[in-house]
Amino acid sequence: MKSYRVAVVGATGAVGNEIIKTLAQRNFPVASLKLLASERSLGKSFSFQDKSVPVEVLREDSFKDVQIGLFSAGGSLSEKFAPIAVKAGCVVVDNTSAYRMDPDVPLVVPEVNPEAIARYPKKGIIANPNCSTIQMVVALKPIYDAVGIKRVVVSTYQAVSGTGMKAIEELSRQTRALMAGEDAVVNVYPHRIAFNCLPQIDVFTENGYTKEEMKMINETKKIFNDDAIAVTATTVRVPVFYGHSESVNIETIKKITAQEVKDLLAKAPGVRVVDDPASRVYPLAIDAAGQDETFVGRIREDESIAHGINMWVVADNLRKGAALNAVQIAEILAQKYL
Ligand code: NAP
Ligand code: 12T
């Protein structure tokens, strides 16, 4: 079996850390692993395949001899270093929003549009979608194929780990402070996140939506290669550490019953139906954390319209929402193209 020289850019971050774990858990054929971060991380190391791998500082010459680069160190670093890596002969799987809407860069969720990977040679970059988009389209795909989708209305309940290590620390520090009767210090988010819900993820755009909401709208159309799907989104940060939850309302083109949706999703790749209201069983963020699947429950007909379905979709935002999806892309790349 062939094996590959891999680099993880942003290795010390919430996503990078999960990428290292995912490569090991899935036995990705790694010939050599290079871990890259900022100067702040010099001296750190991670264990991989029973060896300790030191973190190196990301530099322009970091990509000599690297075949696959998994990037999650922020958009501006991807803008600068992805083209440098490609020039050195590396294929980049980018987790940031920098290239997602570039028409020459495939935006891929393996359960939905794996065929798009074939277009990677144009720029040498494959984009990983936003975490909230990924889990939604995994759950929409079987319905889209069966009866068509006219419109989606989604509201999200997003975990702080999506923002990175500093936000995980902020929620725990604020919670501990408030429980001890002290004041909560606000650094990462515009307002206190402990015991609160923030209807703002990322910055606002001119139309009054946030960037996170516009990512869900635009990325969904690109992944399905269908500009006719109407999507509207409200994205909300909640005081949860791991796992994004979503209320998804779907207007289908042809009629489909709730039972038919359950049957379709039960055999869909990457999906687990968790839906037994009589026993109070439905997907929960605390159960999805650390898992690979996208969990779907509360599947029911929207009785306010002729062709409507409601469902509740939960996944681990750092796994299927980021690291796992990126490693799955790398697996297809390795098996079919490298
Ligand atoms: P994080 O925990 O804050 O980690 C950031 C990582 O980037 C760290 O490894 C950090 O290294 C590194 N970094 C920062 N500045 C650097 C520099 N100048 N040179 C080299 N490395 C640098 O954030 P995260 O949650 O892992 O997210 C990282 C990025 O991934 C985000 O900006 C976002 O674009 C993307 N992301 C995508 C999804 C998705 O939806 N698919 C989800 C979450 C995040 P140090 O430890 O040395 O500072
Ligand atoms: N602001 O990759 O804060 O576009 O949860 C992912 C997660 C941006 C992204 C977050 C964000 C992205 C967040």
Side-chain angles (χ1 to χ4, degrees):
M1 193 181 180
K2 271 206 275 183
S3 60
Y4 302 85
R5 297 183 299 277
V6 177
V8 179
V9 180
T12 53
V15 175
N17 216 316
E18 204 63 37
I19 289 175
I20 299 168
K21 278 197 242 163
T22 306
L23 289 168
Q25 282 168 357
R26 293 176 71 88
N27 285 315
F28 188 88
V30 175
S32 67
L33 184 67
K34 189 173 237 186
L35 302 181
L36 299 165
S38 78
E39 272 160 14
R40 294 180 289 273
S41 295
L42 266 186
K44 284 191 190 165
S45 61
F46 289 84
S47 78
F48 183 78
Q49 290 174 343
D50 299 324
K51 272 183 238 148
S52 171
V53 183
V55 176
E56 299 171 46
V57 178
L58 172 65
R59 296 190 204 287
E60 303 207 356
D61 64 358
S62 293
F63 299 95
K64 287 182 294 188
D65 297 330
V66 177
Q67 293 169 288
I68 300 173
L70 301 164
F71 278 56
S72 66
S76 52
L77 283 155
S78 286
E79 274 166 29
K80 176 168 179 204
F81 285 96
I84 292 171
V86 171
K87 216 173 224 170
C90 178
V91 182
V92 170
V93 181
D94 186 34
N95 247 301
T96 77
S97 56
Y99 296 98
R100 288 180 191 149
M101 296 313 296
D102 183 328
D104 293 333
V105 172
L107 181 66
V108 176
V109 177
E111 290 84 349
V112 182
N113 64 338
E115 69 287 345
I117 294 176
R119 297 192 296 107
Y120 87 85
K122 191 117 192 209
K123 277 235 166 110
I125 302 169
I126 303 165
N128 206 54
N130 177 261
C131 39
S132 313
T133 310
I134 293 175
Q135 66 183 69
M136 181 173 78
V137 299
V138 165
L140 290 179
K141 169 72 172 171
I143 302 169
Y144 183 89
D145 287 347
V147 289
I149 292 177
K150 189 172 166 192
R151 179 165 185 253
V152 177
V153 181
V154 56
S155 299
T156 70
Y157 305 69
Q158 298 185 217
V160 297
S161 55
T163 314
M165 294 291 194
K166 285 204 169 71
I168 298 172
E169 287 157 21
E170 177 131 312
L171 175 58
S172 43
R173 211 178 301 117
Q174 289 182 353
T175 306
R176 272 186 274 118
L178 291 163
M179 294 304 289
E182 295 158 14
D183 288 339
V185 179
V186 174
N187 281 319
V188 174
Y189 295 117
H191 306 279
R192 195 182 91 197
I193 182 61
F195 308 103
N196 204 5
C197 299
L198 308 179
Q200 178 192 349
I201 296 183
D202 213 332
V203 297
F204 280 97
T205 63
E206 231 155 54
N207 62 0
Y209 283 71
T210 62
K211 258 196 181 168
E212 185 81 352
E213 289 159 353
M214 295 313 298
K215 285 178 235 169
M216 291 194 79
I217 295 166
N218 296 325
E219 293 176 17
T220 299
K221 292 173 198 245
K222 178 167 174 177
I223 295 163
F224 281 110
N225 191 24
D226 183 354
D227 275 338
I229 311 184
V231 182
T232 189
T234 303
T235 58
V236 180
R237 184 81 59 195
V238 295
V240 166
F241 285 102
Y242 300 98
H244 290 355
S245 304
E246 302 180 340
S247 160
V248 184
N249 173 258
I250 308 153
E251 185 173 356
T252 56
I253 292 172
K254 285 189 269 172
K255 168 81 184 166
I256 187 165
T257 65
Q259 189 55 52
E260 286 166 337
V261 171
K262 284 181 201 173
D263 295 343
L264 278 177
L265 288 173
K267 50 183 203 236
V271 175
R272 185 141 30 121
V273 175
V274 177
D275 197 3
D276 184 6
S279 311
R280 288 168 288 177
V281 169
Y282 29 73
L284 297 175
I286 55 171
D287 297 330
Q291 303 293 316
D292 285 348
E293 292 99 333
T294 296
F295 298 86
V296 187
R298 301 296 322 279
I299 300 164
R300 62 208 191 275
E301 281 152 49
D302 172 355
E303 297 178 341
S304 72
I305 52 173
H307 297 170
I309 291 290
N310 283 318
M311 54 194 201
W312 179 248
V313 180
V314 181
D316 184 327
N317 53 298
L318 293 182
R319 288 191 70 90
K320 187 55 190 169
L324 171 62
N325 199 72
V327 171
Q328 286 176 308
I329 291 171
E331 287 170 354
I332 298 173
L333 191 64
Q335 281 159 17
K336 288 193 70 172
Y337 301 96
L338 295 185

